[in-house]
mmCIF file of all heavy atoms in Angstrom:
data_model
loop_
_atom_site.group_PDB
_atom_site.id
_atom_site.type_symbol
_atom_site.label_atom_id
_atom_site.label_comp_id
_atom_site.label_asym_id
_atom_site.label_seq_id
_atom_site.Cartn_x
_atom_site.Cartn_y
_atom_site.Cartn_z
ATOM 1 N N GLY A 60 31.739 -4.512 36.306
ATOM 2 C CA GLY A 60 32.364 -4.029 37.569
ATOM 3 C C GLY A 60 32.595 -5.103 38.552
ATOM 4 O O GLY A 60 33.650 -5.155 39.224
ATOM 5 N N ILE A 61 31.665 -6.031 38.664
ATOM 6 C CA ILE A 61 31.811 -7.122 39.611
ATOM 7 C C ILE A 61 32.829 -8.148 39.074
ATOM 8 O O ILE A 61 33.727 -8.582 39.789
ATOM 9 C CB ILE A 61 30.437 -7.872 39.851
ATOM 10 C CG1 ILE A 61 29.491 -6.894 40.599
ATOM 11 C CG2 ILE A 61 30.645 -9.146 40.572
ATOM 12 C CD1 ILE A 61 28.083 -7.398 40.627
ATOM 13 N N GLU A 62 32.759 -8.481 37.820
ATOM 14 C CA GLU A 62 33.627 -9.504 37.227
ATOM 15 C C GLU A 62 35.085 -9.050 37.122
ATOM 16 O O GLU A 62 36.004 -9.838 37.277
ATOM 17 C CB GLU A 62 33.128 -9.930 35.863
ATOM 18 C CG GLU A 62 31.811 -10.669 35.903
ATOM 19 C CD GLU A 62 31.220 -10.952 34.517
ATOM 20 O OE1 GLU A 62 31.771 -10.455 33.540
ATOM 21 O OE2 GLU A 62 30.249 -11.720 34.464
ATOM 22 N N CYS A 63 35.266 -7.776 36.842
ATOM 23 C CA CYS A 63 36.617 -7.247 36.518
ATOM 24 C C CYS A 63 37.153 -6.249 37.518
ATOM 25 O O CYS A 63 38.171 -5.613 37.303
ATOM 26 C CB CYS A 63 36.633 -6.616 35.153
ATOM 27 S SG CYS A 63 36.100 -7.726 33.862
ATOM 28 N N SER A 64 36.471 -6.085 38.631
ATOM 29 C CA SER A 64 36.880 -5.120 39.659
ATOM 30 C C SER A 64 37.127 -3.729 39.044
ATOM 31 O O SER A 64 38.150 -3.065 39.287
ATOM 32 C CB SER A 64 38.086 -5.569 40.379
ATOM 33 O OG SER A 64 37.801 -6.764 41.098
ATOM 34 N N ALA A 65 36.205 -3.263 38.268
ATOM 35 C CA ALA A 65 36.334 -1.976 37.583
ATOM 36 C C ALA A 65 36.145 -0.814 38.616
ATOM 37 O O ALA A 65 35.464 -0.963 39.600
ATOM 38 C CB ALA A 65 35.281 -1.835 36.477
ATOM 39 N N SER A 66 36.798 0.271 38.286
ATOM 40 C CA SER A 66 36.673 1.466 39.154
ATOM 41 C C SER A 66 35.336 2.132 38.822
ATOM 42 O O SER A 66 34.730 1.899 37.771
ATOM 43 C CB SER A 66 37.848 2.422 38.899
ATOM 44 O OG SER A 66 37.712 2.983 37.561
ATOM 45 N N ILE A 67 34.968 3.047 39.718
ATOM 46 C CA ILE A 67 33.769 3.871 39.515
ATOM 47 C C ILE A 67 33.888 4.689 38.252
ATOM 48 O O ILE A 67 32.952 4.889 37.487
ATOM 49 C CB ILE A 67 33.432 4.711 40.742
ATOM 50 C CG1 ILE A 67 33.259 3.866 42.028
ATOM 51 C CG2 ILE A 67 32.213 5.576 40.497
ATOM 52 C CD1 ILE A 67 32.205 2.769 41.953
ATOM 53 N N GLU A 68 35.119 5.169 38.017
ATOM 54 C CA GLU A 68 35.355 5.982 36.811
ATOM 55 C C GLU A 68 35.099 5.147 35.537
ATOM 56 O O GLU A 68 34.525 5.650 34.589
ATOM 57 C CB GLU A 68 36.836 6.506 36.783
ATOM 58 C CG GLU A 68 37.101 7.579 37.852
ATOM 59 C CD GLU A 68 37.287 7.043 39.254
ATOM 60 O OE1 GLU A 68 37.451 5.787 39.423
ATOM 61 O OE2 GLU A 68 37.286 7.803 40.219
ATOM 62 N N GLU A 69 35.521 3.878 35.522
ATOM 63 C CA GLU A 69 35.278 3.019 34.413
ATOM 64 C C GLU A 69 33.810 2.731 34.209
ATOM 65 O O GLU A 69 33.315 2.764 33.103
ATOM 66 C CB GLU A 69 36.026 1.686 34.602
ATOM 67 C CG GLU A 69 37.538 1.796 34.439
ATOM 68 C CD GLU A 69 38.215 0.495 34.785
ATOM 69 O OE1 GLU A 69 38.169 0.071 35.965
ATOM 70 O OE2 GLU A 69 38.774 -0.126 33.829
ATOM 71 N N LEU A 70 33.099 2.512 35.316
ATOM 72 C CA LEU A 70 31.692 2.258 35.217
ATOM 73 C C LEU A 70 30.925 3.480 34.678
ATOM 74 O O LEU A 70 30.056 3.359 33.832
ATOM 75 C CB LEU A 70 31.091 1.858 36.593
ATOM 76 C CG LEU A 70 31.667 0.569 37.211
ATOM 77 C CD1 LEU A 70 31.039 0.338 38.566
ATOM 78 C CD2 LEU A 70 31.479 -0.581 36.292
ATOM 79 N N ALA A 71 31.278 4.661 35.156
ATOM 80 C CA ALA A 71 30.690 5.869 34.662
ATOM 81 C C ALA A 71 30.910 6.052 33.184
ATOM 82 O O ALA A 71 30.019 6.364 32.407
ATOM 83 C CB ALA A 71 31.220 7.094 35.425
ATOM 84 N N SER A 72 32.145 5.764 32.741
ATOM 85 C CA SER A 72 32.504 5.849 31.336
ATOM 86 C C SER A 72 31.675 4.874 30.499
ATOM 87 O O SER A 72 31.212 5.217 29.415
ATOM 88 C CB SER A 72 34.001 5.575 31.143
ATOM 89 O OG SER A 72 34.336 5.576 29.830
ATOM 90 N N LEU A 73 31.493 3.671 30.999
ATOM 91 C CA LEU A 73 30.705 2.668 30.289
ATOM 92 C C LEU A 73 29.234 3.102 30.152
ATOM 93 O O LEU A 73 28.570 2.666 29.172
ATOM 94 C CB LEU A 73 30.804 1.304 30.987
ATOM 95 C CG LEU A 73 32.108 0.578 30.911
ATOM 96 C CD1 LEU A 73 32.106 -0.603 31.864
ATOM 97 C CD2 LEU A 73 32.394 0.160 29.481
ATOM 98 N N CYS A 74 28.781 3.925 31.093
ATOM 99 C CA CYS A 74 27.411 4.428 31.013
ATOM 100 C C CYS A 74 27.306 5.779 30.344
ATOM 101 O O CYS A 74 26.258 6.389 30.297
ATOM 102 C CB CYS A 74 26.856 4.536 32.453
ATOM 103 S SG CYS A 74 26.633 2.949 33.231
ATOM 104 N N PHE A 75 28.424 6.242 29.769
ATOM 105 C CA PHE A 75 28.499 7.553 29.081
ATOM 106 C C PHE A 75 28.087 8.686 29.972
ATOM 107 O O PHE A 75 27.274 9.529 29.560
ATOM 108 C CB PHE A 75 27.658 7.510 27.786
ATOM 109 C CG PHE A 75 28.050 6.433 26.841
ATOM 110 C CD1 PHE A 75 27.220 5.337 26.620
ATOM 111 C CD2 PHE A 75 29.269 6.497 26.122
ATOM 112 C CE1 PHE A 75 27.606 4.368 25.710
ATOM 113 C CE2 PHE A 75 29.629 5.490 25.241
ATOM 114 C CZ PHE A 75 28.811 4.405 25.056
ATOM 115 N N GLN A 76 28.588 8.650 31.226
ATOM 116 C CA GLN A 76 28.240 9.710 32.188
ATOM 117 C C GLN A 76 29.495 10.173 32.889
ATOM 118 O O GLN A 76 30.483 9.428 32.946
ATOM 119 C CB GLN A 76 27.253 9.152 33.266
ATOM 120 C CG GLN A 76 25.941 8.726 32.676
ATOM 121 C CD GLN A 76 25.073 8.091 33.766
ATOM 122 O OE1 GLN A 76 25.479 7.873 34.865
ATOM 123 N NE2 GLN A 76 23.830 7.737 33.368
ATOM 124 N N SER A 77 29.470 11.348 33.433
ATOM 125 C CA SER A 77 30.548 11.767 34.271
ATOM 126 C C SER A 77 30.477 11.015 35.576
ATOM 127 O O SER A 77 29.432 10.458 35.926
ATOM 128 C CB SER A 77 30.410 13.292 34.566
ATOM 129 O OG SER A 77 29.317 13.548 35.404
ATOM 130 N N VAL A 78 31.570 11.014 36.350
ATOM 131 C CA VAL A 78 31.582 10.247 37.596
ATOM 132 C C VAL A 78 30.525 10.820 38.540
ATOM 133 O O VAL A 78 29.786 10.067 39.180
ATOM 134 C CB VAL A 78 32.996 10.299 38.233
ATOM 135 C CG1 VAL A 78 32.973 9.721 39.610
ATOM 136 C CG2 VAL A 78 33.995 9.596 37.340
ATOM 137 N N SER A 79 30.450 12.144 38.640
ATOM 138 C CA SER A 79 29.468 12.738 39.568
ATOM 139 C C SER A 79 28.054 12.455 39.217
ATOM 140 O O SER A 79 27.197 12.100 40.058
ATOM 141 C CB SER A 79 29.695 14.223 39.726
ATOM 142 O OG SER A 79 29.601 14.833 38.472
ATOM 143 N N THR A 80 27.749 12.479 37.905
ATOM 144 C CA THR A 80 26.389 12.146 37.435
ATOM 145 C C THR A 80 26.099 10.677 37.714
ATOM 146 O O THR A 80 25.014 10.328 38.135
ATOM 147 C CB THR A 80 26.253 12.474 35.931
ATOM 148 O OG1 THR A 80 26.446 13.873 35.751
ATOM 149 C CG2 THR A 80 24.882 12.060 35.420
ATOM 150 N N PHE A 81 27.056 9.816 37.406
ATOM 151 C CA PHE A 81 26.865 8.378 37.640
ATOM 152 C C PHE A 81 26.589 8.112 39.106
ATOM 153 O O PHE A 81 25.597 7.403 39.430
ATOM 154 C CB PHE A 81 28.134 7.615 37.177
ATOM 155 C CG PHE A 81 28.065 6.138 37.433
ATOM 156 C CD1 PHE A 81 27.282 5.337 36.612
ATOM 157 C CD2 PHE A 81 28.706 5.587 38.505
ATOM 158 C CE1 PHE A 81 27.228 3.933 36.820
ATOM 159 C CE2 PHE A 81 28.655 4.221 38.759
ATOM 160 C CZ PHE A 81 27.902 3.404 37.936
#
Side-chain angles (χ1 to χ4, degrees):
I61 293 169
E62 292 174 351
C63 301
S64 296
S66 68
I67 302 303
E68 289 79 12
E69 289 174 292
L70 299 179
S72 176
L73 289 170
C74 292
F75 303 110
Q76 297 174 356
S77 69
V78 173
S79 58
T80 298
F81 177 77

